[in-house]
Amino acid sequence: MVYICAVTRTQTLEQLLVTSSRLVRLAAQAAGNATPSAVWRTLSILDAEGAMRVGELAAASRVSQPGMTRLLGGMDDDGLVTRSADAADSRAFIIGITPVGREALAGWRDTLARTLEPWFADLPDADWAALERSVAILAERTASPTASPAATSPATAQEERA
Amino acid sequence: MVYICAVTRTQTLEQLLVTSSRLVRLAAQAAGNATPSAVWRTLSILDAEGAMRVGELAAASRVSQPGMTRLLGGMDDDGLVTRSADAADSRAFIIGITPVGREALAGWRDTLARTLEPWFADLPDADWAALERSVAILAERTASPTASPAATSPATAQEERA
DNA sequence: CTCGATGCATAACTATGGTATATATTTGCG
DNA sequence: CGCAAATATATACCATAGTTATGCATCGAG
């Protein structure tokens, strides 16, 4: 039982990763590679979770801090994000989304609706429900980390924070 | 009704993309960035779908052909893939997974089980079912394309192939 | 006050993706 | 059958995304 269950879950996760990777690529190609995935991911996180520090945004995106610094450099140049000194710590900066960034994000969403949604146009409602539930699960599991599961399970970590 | 439904679906797809992107990054970081995502994605596709041409593999991965050529160059160097001339067309090559590649894929799966599964350890069975269903949907929708939805819907395209 | 920890930038590197182009081969049409 | 268009892949060049290592300034705890 446990053996069968473990194999199934590994397979599920494997396929989830492969399909996730493909989906991200599908979206990029369907949109003509107009907006790099790192950009829309970052804007979407800022839009959903609000302004935050560079390191926090890196953690939320699951990339390294220097990588995020570099990415934000370009986005700052393009006027997509704000950088303001953090009053609580003069080493830190708070990154927020600008109106231009919001417009860009909205534009990307329109592109999504036009280019990617048709791929899912004929899904029955039950399938949409499954996707929505999965998104909720993944959102919870991929949210900003404070501890790895080796130290504590995600659910336990949330209890400790509360 | 239609307006409300369209917005919800766009939001669902947006969040699906963001969580997908994060999940791919989470897996990479959890595994110590040991196996690049493009490599495991490629090996997993070859393992699941069998040997195929360079261009087919590029399409299956949703990347450009020259990009796939480059990636395969490195994988070939590492002994992960085979390249054999396609008897049906002397321009083409058939790419397959080697035993070394299979081992590498198995190793990656082990790493998945060890590093990523704990993040999902406390999921109830209903949530696993939702993930599995979503994976099935995404696998179907991201499978090797023969037509874009603008021309025909994915389901219709499958009927035409049958 | 001191020292270890932390936040971010920079440097150097590798990997992943794109488009454009070239060459050889295949296919389809007249 | 011949020819032109289409196709398969490699190469070149470019930009971006990611990493680790490092440096410097600042913070926080003892």
Side-chain angles (χ1 to χ4, degrees), chain A residues 26 29 119, chain B residues 56 58-62 141-148 161:
Chain A
L26 173 64
Q29 288 196 330
W119 288 94
Chain B
E56 286 172 336
S61 306
R62 304 288 167 156
R141 295 306 147 112
T142 61
S144 304
T146 57
S148 70
R161 287 198 296 265

Side-chain angles (χ1 to χ4, degrees), chain A residues 27-106:
Chain A
Q29 288 196 330
N33 287 294
T35 306
S37 62
V39 170
W40 55 250
R41 183 184 65 209
T42 303
L43 290 177
S44 191
I45 289 170
L46 286 173
D47 189 50
E49 299 175 26
M52 63 184 79
R53 289 186 182 180
V54 173
E56 286 172 337
L57 194 48
S61 306
R62 304 287 166 158
V63 299
S64 65
Q65 171 263 311
M68 181 53 71
T69 295
R70 170 197 283 269
L71 176 64
L72 289 174
M75 291 172 75
D76 194 6
D77 291 343
D78 296 340
L80 302 177
V81 293
T82 58
R83 290 173 53 85
S84 46
D86 186 344
D89 184 337
S90 61
R91 298 168 298 184
F93 294 88
I94 301 292
I95 306 297
I97 186 169
T98 61
V100 172
R102 265 184 227 287
E103 261 186 56
L105 185 56

Side-chain angles (χ1 to χ4, degrees), chain B residues 8-66:
Chain B
T8 302
R9 288 180 176 181
T10 303
Q11 286 173 339
T12 299
L13 282 182
E14 178 195 352
Q15 290 309 310
L16 181 60
L17 279 166
V18 172
T19 55
S20 291
S21 179
R22 276 175 158 186
L23 181 69
V24 170
R25 292 299 318 149
L26 173 63
Q29 288 195 329
N33 286 293
T35 305
S37 62
V39 170
W40 56 250
R41 182 185 66 210
T42 303
L43 289 177
S44 190
I45 290 171
L46 287 174
D47 189 51
E49 298 175 29
M52 64 184 79
R53 290 185 180 178
V54 173
E56 286 172 336
L57 194 47
S61 306
R62 304 288 167 156
V63 301
S64 67
Q65 171 264 310

Side-chain angles (χ1 to χ4, degrees), chain B residues 114-126:
Chain B
R114 183 167 37 85
T115 59
L116 193 62
E117 255 179 76
W119 288 94
F120 298 85
D122 56 345
L123 277 194
D125 286 353

Side-chain angles (χ1 to χ4, degrees), chain B residues 30-112:
Chain B
N33 286 293
T35 305
S37 62
V39 170
W40 56 250
R41 182 185 66 210
T42 303
L43 289 177
S44 190
I45 290 171
L46 287 174
D47 189 51
E49 298 175 29
M52 64 184 79
R53 290 185 180 178
V54 173
E56 286 172 336
L57 194 47
S61 306
R62 304 288 167 156
V63 301
S64 67
Q65 171 264 310
M68 181 53 73
T69 294
R70 171 199 283 270
L71 175 64
L72 289 174
M75 291 171 76
D76 193 6
D77 291 344
D78 296 340
L80 302 176
V81 293
T82 59
R83 290 174 52 86
S84 44
D86 185 344
D89 186 336
S90 61
R91 299 169 298 182
F93 293 88
I94 301 292
I95 307 294
I97 186 170
T98 61
V100 172
R102 266 185 226 285
E103 261 185 56
L105 185 57
W108 172 70
R109 285 178 181 138
D110 286 346
T111 303
L112 256 201

